[in-house]
Amino acid sequence: MSEFKSKIKTIEWVDNYSKMVDQTILPYEFKYVNITTGQQMYDAIKTMIVRGAPAIGVAGAHGVVLYAQEFAEKDLSREEFIKQLNEKADYIASSRPTAVNLMWAVKKQKEIINNSNSDIAGIVEELKQNGIKLENEDIEINKRIGDYGAEVVPKGATILTHCNAGALATVGYGTALGVVRSAFANDPTIQVFADETRPRQQGARITTLELTMDGIPTTLITDGMCSYFMKKGMIDMVVVGADRIAANGDAANKIGTYTVAIAAKYHNIPFYIAAPLSTIDTGIKTGDEIVIEERSREEVTHINGKIICAPEVNVINPGFDVTPHELITGIITEKGILRAPYETAIADAFKQCE
Ligand code: MRU
């Protein structure tokens, strides 16, 4: 595992395929898989070989390139190529419903498909270049998020995080863990408490792995323990990622985040979201409009293929919850830290990009 460093690219376009770290087998094995068809990309996103909002955004963009390459091999008219590619782009975007970065990146590819004046080969090339551009931009954006976030990390802080919003949830560096990395670079006395994050244990399997590989002191706790440590005064701030943020600042993130935010509010601990502007969905007013992904019962009933409950028990498995904006101290973006009132702060941040 010595090669596992935050510098590793979680997902990367190589020649004519997409290469990604298989996150379903971490921490046991660190292996890349090559995704060579559009259908394989749909499955990779759905089964969480690639996961984390920004990473699946790039995966979606790559998926559109893969379908474009496949259709370019067929004897299609330009019009038919565009029609079929639009349908497959929508199909890729439907692989996971909550993380808006996926829809955002696929929309960027659709703008190329529908506005390009090039022939079929030219469109394929433009889509490929755009996929690579999104990849490179992601790392730059995360470093900016990290640097803004580091400014609000107190000296020697213990930072609690939930799920994995790290290098492996993005192309590299991470959002919430980007804040941790930037803070640690200035102050090696900071440390992290990582929630296990049931049911898929991204905190235990992925966050602890990538942080300890970078030499950042990390303590693993189970999901129910956060308020215990907050009460003891052992947590100074919370930083988590997001999968979709509404125009009023309500933020969807991995199930359990809302509980952490309530506990943080009760104990007067700052609670930050770290996310790129591509995670903000200005098309929805509040978090009530965010579609929450329902996942399989096996994720809850089994651990490592072994059943851990009565086989017939009822199970509900929402993948995400929404933290109301009142509980959020600030949203750390590549344009700075947005603070309440979030409607105005978000609108102003998007104006800066125009
Ligand atoms: O279901 P996952 O593992 O894709 O969920 C990931 C999260 O909830 C992350 O915290 C979120 O995507 C932010 S990633 C920078």
Side-chain angles (χ1 to χ4, degrees), residues 48 51-54 96 163-165 169 175 202 241-243 253-254 320:
M48 295 171 66
R51 50 147 298 278
R96 290 195 74 189
C163 194
N164 173 265
T175 54
Q202 291 94 327
D243 289 81
N253 193 51
K254 182 53 54 191
F320 301 90

Side-chain angles (χ1 to χ4, degrees), residues 224-268:
M225 293 179 186
C226 76
S227 42
Y228 174 85
F229 290 112
M230 286 177 180
K231 188 171 183 205
K232 279 183 164 292
M234 290 170 67
I235 307 292
D236 300 299
M237 70 186 294
V238 179
V239 187
V240 296
D243 289 81
R244 192 185 295 230
I245 300 169
N248 71 343
D250 294 349
N253 193 51
K254 182 53 54 191
I255 191 78
T257 304
Y258 180 27
T259 313
V260 176
I262 293 169
K265 185 78 171 179
Y266 183 79
H267 294 95
N268 275 321

Side-chain angles (χ1 to χ4, degrees), residues 38 55 66 73 143 160 173 196 226 260 282 296 324 328 348 350 353:
L66 291 168
E73 295 287 305
K143 287 191 172 154
L160 178 80
Y173 205 69
E196 172 190 25
C226 76
V260 176
T282 50
S296 75
I328 300 171
D348 287 348
F350 276 94
C353 304

